[in-house]
């Protein structure tokens, strides 16, 4: 039996984007609800419960700024929040702002159709909701990708994916574990799994750059000092390229200093930990030679850390400029390969042929293990949106419109899909930033559009097609002026078989992007069309 409901706004997803969006809607008096497939809030931090999962941005930055009361009340314990700590924070926020009563857990949105100025939204449990606004807070990294390797169903042991980790932590003690993938999830989980597993086999297709996080507990005095100056730090973050106060735009080229000075700067960034190295010089992401100076510095560090020379060389990335894939931050990642129970298996020239009952075949050899971990990433940026059948008034699906890659206006709307909004969608800087900052900026922008529409009694807001094309072109031009497109990564869909190559994130920086958005509003909502 179908249950029919009426709402002003349906929000899909109860991660940080969905929760802040719901809060804004409720504050404004809208009748809004979230529909979330999980049984709790948190999004990323609900699903990624793998060993070692934590933020790669410092907790004092990776948090909401919209409520000073919240940021003064919450006390981060760790310099980089762990997955449990961030999930606890998300739960705390959901309770503090009384959001849970408006969240439908264990409910997936499967279909939405725009008819007569309304979205008719369908869930997987027979609810049909008629609403004015449909807001996709479905996440950029929320659709786990398990490669379709022959024989996977034959494996007799347990299979895990880092992006859909079970609630109860598996026991790896005394077990032989195989792990596929050396992106951020692999880099974080490999050292921790190696602590208990009897043996750990790491199957590496591509070596990855990783910098030390230099994680520690967050000293109380440091936290309190930050809190006292929160406004200053949040403003600095908004005016930066990456959305983090301490990473302000560099002023010198890598070649404005001599080799010794350059290496000293890299060394101090390496010792400091975090992403500092990438912000050392202006041209690291635009000039291959400049980039190579940083890449080489990191390769030499890997060679210093990893005792076995052959293993060290295999771990040295050579196929992409440093920073053109999301840079990993680690705690003892390279050191882990000095452990007796850890082996690196280079499969760069030998794709996994098949999974067997007891392990997998690559290099024409069978590797046996008890448990298999996929740290193989996500169908990023478009996966969760395309999983919903979204049809416009002409019955055209968003999936078909995006079949050769996503096209959006500012990463917020798609032309011909009125009253449909996305938070940190493709062609916005979300994934290239401290994401909570980008989420807040998008939610505020969308809110502004909705209020403008409501106050003027318009029935629809839509993105102008020409303006959308201009924005996509601009996005590509900005990316093509950098080294980013040189890497094979999820930024351009390379990690998903059959996905058309498109560079998806906006890499012009969060400050530039915010200025552009603010200007659009000042220019009488340039690029947006309102209809009665
Ligand atoms: P999500 O947190 O992904 O939430 C989306 C929610 O939508 C999910 O709960 C999902 O279940 C739900 N959903 C999707 N489709 C449907 C549907 N059809 N019906 C119902 N529900 C649906 N960013 C940083 O800035 N710094 C970091 O250090 C960082 N670390 C990360 C670590 C990991 C392991 C991963 C995977 C990502 C990380 N990110 C990081 C990015 C992270 O995704 C964002 O910071 C942020 O949490 C995204 O919030 P969100 O609400 O947009 O999306
Ligand atoms: P990812 O960066 O896409 O890495 C996936 C890994 O799996 C890569 O090493 C990839 O190899 C490998 N792989 C995929 N398919 C394979 C196959 N068929 N055979 C062999 N290897 C295969 O995914 P991720 O590590 O989950 O990270 C995704 C993003 O989530 C990150 O970039 C980051 O934005 C976020 N994240 C952040 C943190 C954090 O530190 N806070 C932690 C986890 C995730 P190739 O490189 O050869 O494709």
């Amino acid at each position: 039996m179908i249950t029919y409901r009426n709402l002003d706004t349906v929000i899909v997803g109860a991660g940080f984007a969905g929760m802040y969006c719901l809060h804004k809607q409720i504050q404004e008096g809208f009748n809004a609800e979230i529909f979330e497939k999980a049984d709790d809030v948190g999004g990323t931090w609900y699903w990624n419960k793998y060993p070692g999962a934590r933020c790669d941005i410092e907790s004092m930055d990776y948090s909401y700024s919209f409520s000073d009361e919240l940021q003064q009340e919450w006390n981060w314990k760790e310099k980089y929040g762990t997955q449990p700590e961030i999930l606890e924070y998300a739960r705390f926020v959901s309770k503090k702002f009384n959001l849970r009563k408006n969240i439908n857990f264990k409910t997936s949105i499967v279909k939405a159709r725009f008819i007569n100025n309304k979205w008719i939204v369908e869930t997987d449990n027979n609810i049909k909701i008629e609403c004015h606004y449909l807001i996709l807070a479905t996440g950029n990294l929320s659709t786990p990708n398990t490669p379709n390797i022959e024989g996977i169903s034959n494996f007799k042991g347990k299979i895990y994916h880092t992006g859909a980790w079970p609630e109860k932590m598996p026991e790896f003690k005394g077990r032989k574990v195989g792990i596929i993938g050396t992106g951020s999830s692999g880099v974080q989980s490999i050292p921790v799994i190696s602590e208990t597993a009897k043996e750990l086999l790491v199957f590496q297709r591509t070596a990855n750059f990783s910098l030390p996080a230099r994680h520690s507990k967050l000293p109380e005095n440091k936290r309190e000092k930050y809190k006292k100056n929160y406004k200053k730090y949040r403003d600095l973050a908004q005016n930066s390229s990456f959305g983090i106060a301490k990473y302000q735009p560099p002023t010198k080229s890598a070649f404005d200093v001599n080799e010794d000075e350059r290496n000293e700067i890299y060394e101090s960034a390496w010792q400091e930990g975090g992403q500092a190295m990438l912000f050392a010089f202006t041209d690291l992401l635009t000039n291959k030679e400049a980039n190579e100076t940083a890449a080489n510095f990191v390769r030499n560090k890997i060679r210093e850390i990893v005792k076995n020379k052959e293993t060290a060389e295999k771990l040295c990335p050579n196929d992409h400029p440093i920073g053109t894939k999301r840079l990993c931050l680690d705690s003892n990642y390279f050191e882990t390969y000095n452990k007796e129970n850890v082996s690196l298996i280079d499969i760069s020239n030998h794709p996994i042929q098949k999974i067997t009952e007891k392990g997998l075949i690559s290099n024409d050899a069978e590797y046996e293990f008890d448990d298999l971990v996929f740290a193989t990433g996500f169908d990023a940026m478009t996966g969760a949106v395309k999983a919903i059948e979204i049809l416009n008034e002409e019955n055209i699906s968003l999936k078909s419109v995006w079949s050769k890659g996503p096209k959006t206006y500012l990463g917020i709307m798609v032309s011909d899909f009125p009253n449909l909004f996305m938070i940190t969608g493709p062609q916005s800087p979300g994934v290239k930033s401290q994401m909570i900052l980008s989420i807040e900026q998008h939610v505020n922008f969308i809110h502004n559009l909705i209020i403008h529409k409501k106050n003027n009694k318009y029935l629809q807001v839509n993105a102008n097609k020409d303006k959308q094309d201009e924005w996509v072109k601009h996005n590509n031009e900005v990316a093509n002026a950098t080294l980013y497109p040189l890497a094979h990564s999820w930024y351009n869909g390379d990690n998903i078989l059959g996905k058309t190559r498109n560079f998806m994130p906006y890499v012009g920086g969060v400050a530039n992007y915010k200025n552009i958005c603010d200007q659009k509003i000042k220019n009488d909502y340039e690029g947006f069309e309102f209809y009665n």
Side-chain angles (χ1 to χ4, degrees):
M1 209 178 68
I2 298 176
T3 307
Y4 293 91
R5 311 246 345 252
N6 268 290
L7 290 171
D8 292 325
T9 309
V10 164
I11 301 163
V12 192
F16 286 121
M19 285 202 297
Y20 177 47
C21 193
L22 177 62
H23 173 63
K24 288 285 281 186
Q25 287 272 312
I26 293 173
Q27 267 192 326
E28 198 61 40
F30 285 102
N31 190 8
E33 288 184 17
I34 290 181
F35 293 79
E36 164 59 61
K37 70 168 83 147
D39 61 11
D40 205 344
V41 298
T44 287
W45 306 101
Y46 170 92
W47 294 107
N48 290 264
K49 294 182 171 122
Y50 60 83
R54 71 164 78 234
C55 212
D56 63 6
I57 286 173
E58 294 184 30
S59 341
M60 296 306 289
D61 296 307
Y62 188 80
S63 50
Y64 285 123
S65 68
F66 72 84
S67 158
D68 192 48
E69 194 179 294
L70 169 67
Q71 65 186 10
Q72 295 303 331
E73 197 173 337
W74 180 260
N75 288 321
W76 290 105
K77 296 185 216 67
E78 309 256 343
K79 179 176 171 189
Y80 295 94
T82 59
Q83 174 274 323
E85 193 180 12
I86 303 173
L87 182 57
E88 198 188 322
Y89 171 72
R91 287 181 178 143
F92 178 82
V93 170
S94 71
K95 288 176 191 152
K96 178 173 174 66
F97 296 100
N98 206 9
L99 303 177
R100 298 181 86 88
K101 63 178 176 26
N102 289 38
I103 306 179
N104 304 270
F105 291 112
K106 295 195 210 166
T107 312
S108 283
I109 297 300
V110 291
K111 187 172 177 181
R113 170 96 201 264
F114 193 70
I115 305 170
N116 294 333
N117 300 316
K118 295 270 181 76
W119 281 100
I120 312 297
V121 181
E122 294 178 33
T123 71
D124 63 347
N125 54 2
N126 290 322
I127 307 172
K128 264 195 186 187
I129 314 119
E130 206 178 283
C131 61
H132 295 291
Y133 310 107
L134 175 58
I135 303 182
L136 302 179
T138 44
N140 284 300
L141 296 159
S142 54
T143 310
N145 165 46
T146 304
N148 188 11
I149 304 172
E150 188 195 328
I152 202 162
S153 57
N154 297 333
F155 185 62
K156 290 272 187 270
K158 295 211 173 79
I159 294 185
Y160 304 97
H161 192 293
T162 50
W165 202 260
E167 184 68 38
K168 187 169 179 303
M169 188 57 84
E171 178 67 83
F172 290 124
K173 192 162 178 245
R175 296 179 73 81
K176 191 168 171 183
V177 181
I179 181 164
I180 303 172
T182 51
S184 302
S185 304
V187 161
Q188 284 189 331
S189 54
I190 286 163
V192 182
I193 295 176
S194 81
E195 284 168 16
T196 51
K198 183 173 73 184
E199 236 184 285
L200 180 61
L201 309 182
V202 180
F203 296 92
Q204 173 188 275
R205 187 165 68 180
T206 313
N208 228 331
F209 288 102
S210 184
L211 303 178
R214 308 267 177 234
H215 174 65
S216 64
K217 294 277 174 220
L218 183 60
E220 198 183 327
N221 58 353
K222 213 172 158 196
R223 185 177 65 218
E224 293 312 310
K225 188 170 164 223
Y226 213 92
K227 277 188 182 182
K228 279 200 186 108
N229 293 292
Y230 239 139
K231 167 129 184 36
K232 181 179 98 187
Y233 292 126
R234 298 296 195 188
D235 288 349
L236 279 169
Q238 279 201 1
N239 288 308
S240 69
S241 63
F242 196 53
I244 297 181
K246 73 174 175 182
Y247 298 145
Q248 289 301 310
T251 50
K252 280 185 187 162
S253 149
F255 300 115
D256 284 343
V257 292
N258 68 34
E259 192 180 344
D260 286 348
E261 286 171 301
R262 203 163 47 231
N263 282 335
E264 261 176 47
I265 290 171
Y266 289 148
E267 182 63 35
S268 108
W270 178 271
Q271 293 309 333
E272 178 189 330
Q275 320 244 2
M277 192 179 297
L278 267 196
F279 297 89
F281 297 111
T282 50
D283 44 1
L284 290 182
L285 289 165
T286 51
N287 176 326
K288 261 185 167 177
E289 286 71 38
N291 185 285
E292 190 55 20
T293 63
N296 226 2
F297 178 88
V298 175
R299 286 187 207 111
N300 286 334
K301 285 289 181 192
I302 298 171
R303 292 180 183 116
E304 270 172 35
I305 297 169
V306 180
K307 293 195 182 115
N308 181 305
K309 282 196 165 35
E310 212 182 306
T311 306
E313 282 317 308
K314 284 181 190 161
L315 286 165
C316 283
N318 281 303
D319 75 313
H320 64 282
I322 185 169
T324 54
K325 289 183 175 187
R326 172 88 180 203
L327 201 54
C328 304
L329 292 193
D330 69 271
S331 296
N332 299 322
Y333 174 64
F334 294 113
E335 289 80 349
T336 299
Y337 293 95
N338 293 331
K339 293 171 88 168
E340 295 247 306
N341 65 335
V342 179
S343 318
L344 179 71
I345 295 137
D346 176 10
I347 55 166
S348 54
N349 294 316
H350 304 273
I352 298 168
Q353 286 158 261
K354 72 175 183 187
I355 301 206
T356 62
E357 281 187 17
K358 292 182 179 165
L360 63 77
I361 298 181
S362 166
N363 303 328
D364 285 327
E366 181 166 7
Y367 298 88
E368 293 188 1
F369 38 78
D370 303 316
D371 301 316
L372 175 58
V373 176
F374 283 96
T376 45
F378 302 88
D379 182 356
M381 306 203 71
T382 55
V385 174
K386 284 165 98 175
I388 305 172
E389 190 184 1
I390 300 174
L391 302 167
N392 67 12
E393 198 131 40
E394 283 73 46
N395 214 18
I396 295 168
S397 74
L398 181 55
K399 190 174 170 182
S400 69
V401 173
W402 279 9
S403 62
K404 292 201 168 68
K407 285 187 173 183
T408 72
Y409 184 49
L410 300 172
I412 287 175
M413 289 199 83
V414 180
S415 182
D416 292 333
F417 287 81
N419 303 354
L420 171 76
F421 306 94
M422 7 192 122
I423 303 174
T424 68
Q427 286 122 16
S428 79
V431 295
K432 286 295 304 149
S433 71
Q434 188 281 84
M435 278 209 75
I436 300 187
L437 176 141
S438 290
I439 284 169
E440 289 185 326
Q441 189 254 336
H442 262 199
V443 171
N444 293 340
F445 188 91
I446 292 165
H447 195 70
N448 197 325
L449 279 178
I450 289 177
I451 297 296
H452 181 72
K453 172 184 162 297
K454 188 183 153 208
N455 289 348
N456 291 284
K457 301 199 168 47
Y458 294 120
L459 293 172
Q460 291 187 15
V461 49
N462 190 16
N464 175 283
K465 173 103 176 32
D466 294 338
K467 290 288 177 186
Q468 173 172 288
D469 289 346
E470 259 176 45
W471 180 252
V472 174
K473 191 165 164 260
H474 173 66
N475 196 77
N476 292 335
E477 281 166 357
V478 173
N480 289 335
T482 69
L483 303 176
Y484 283 105
L486 299 181
H488 289 272
S489 75
W490 59 261
Y491 288 159
N492 45 42
D494 286 326
N495 65 327
I496 301 295
L497 206 64
K499 196 164 171 173
T500 312
R501 191 168 214 263
N502 271 281
F503 193 82
M504 294 182 279
Y506 179 68
V507 289
V510 295
N512 282 341
Y513 174 81
K514 183 175 182 298
N515 289 338
I516 293 170
C517 288
D518 291 348
Q519 201 54 48
K520 302 287 181 205
I521 294 199
K522 276 196 195 130
N523 294 350
D524 205 13
Y525 295 87
E526 185 190 336
F528 295 97
E529 293 166 345
F530 295 87
Y531 300 102
N532 280 314

